[in-house]
Amino acid sequence: MKRKFEWIEVVIGLIIVPAMILIVNNIEDGYVIGVFLGLLSAFLAAIFTSLNKKYIVDGKERIISFLELGGAWIFLSLLLPIYHMWQPIEAFWPSNMDWVYLLILALLCTTLAYVMAMKALNYISAFASALTINLEPVYGIFLAVFLLKEHKELNLEFYLGVVIIIAAVTIYPLLMRRRKRKLI
């Protein structure tokens, strides 16, 4: 991005690493692959956000979003026949009401949210955007705890890790604002 190296971003990233270790420290062996895939996903999302930040110019957020989401749809559609080799189509096909929910999720929760996130890249750094996006699993866990009462297997280390991550994410904009005031 040809901008000055921000030590605050490196420090925040380094604070999150031990917090992630606390969160995944006591997982069962069957979930290790999922953790590594999640870390890979976060890494790729950070690169993706950085590239989006680089190429967002002249209000082309909708066009870029259409190309990216359309490309993902085509790729997944091509993978669907391979998936059906292992899973019969009858178990996969949505009911009529499911189609309504899928449309709501696709249009509002994915497309609209994605275009808005792309538009936000005009005002925030790629790091701040990636940090926020990668908090999605934390939101999901909180929803599972509060709405579904799914917290029986979570331990103190898990909660400590979550608190560290939320503290790091919360302190980042405060540190950046303080730093900008010193520069002015």
Side-chain angles (χ1 to χ4, degrees):
M1 299 300 300
K2 297 179 183 176
R3 69 178 181 100
K4 188 180 173 195
F5 189 76
E6 295 285 348
W7 283 103
I8 293 171
E9 295 174 353
V10 174
V11 170
I12 295 292
L14 290 174
I15 288 171
I16 290 175
V17 171
M20 287 300 302
I21 292 170
L22 284 172
I23 288 173
V24 300
N25 195 27
N26 294 321
I27 63 167
E28 297 175 22
D29 292 339
Y31 297 119
V32 172
I33 292 173
V35 170
F36 285 116
L37 288 175
L39 291 173
L40 176 64
S41 173
F43 174 73
L44 292 174
I47 291 173
F48 193 70
T49 303
S50 297
L51 290 173
N52 280 339
K53 174 78 173 175
K54 183 177 180 178
Y55 293 112
I56 293 286
V57 288
D58 302 326
K60 305 281 189 214
E61 297 88 4
R62 284 181 275 171
I63 294 169
I64 292 174
S65 297
F66 175 78
L67 292 172
E68 290 174 351
L69 292 173
W73 177 74
I74 290 169
F75 177 73
L76 291 174
S77 295
L78 292 173
L79 288 180
L80 202 54
I82 296 169
Y83 174 77
H84 285 304
M85 290 176 163
W86 290 281
Q87 186 73 27
I89 196 164
E90 295 80 28
F92 175 75
W93 201 254
S95 68
N96 289 340
M97 198 59 199
D98 289 341
W99 284 108
V100 173
Y101 294 136
L102 285 170
L103 278 172
I104 291 169
L105 286 171
L107 295 176
L108 293 178
C109 300
T110 302
T111 307
L112 179 64
Y114 193 74
V115 170
M116 290 172 65
M118 295 280 278
K119 199 173 237 355
L121 283 174
N122 289 316
Y123 307 101
I124 62 173
S125 70
F127 179 81
S129 177
L131 201 59
T132 306
I133 289 168
N134 286 319
L135 273 178
E136 228 175 287
V138 175
Y139 306 145
I141 290 166
F142 279 133
L143 287 173
V145 168
F146 293 115
L147 297 178
L148 305 174
K149 308 295 186 234
E150 291 289 330
H151 62 280
K152 296 163 190 76
E153 296 178 19
L154 303 179
N155 58 22
L156 184 61
E157 289 177 345
F158 172 85
Y159 290 111
L160 181 60
V162 168
V163 166
I164 291 170
I165 289 173
I166 292 173
V169 170
T170 304
I171 202 166
Y172 171 72
L174 300 174
L175 291 174
M176 291 303 287
R177 193 174 305 134
R178 183 174 176 209
R179 186 176 167 277
K180 283 182 183 177
R181 274 194 227 133
K182 283 185 178 180
L183 293 175
I184 296 176

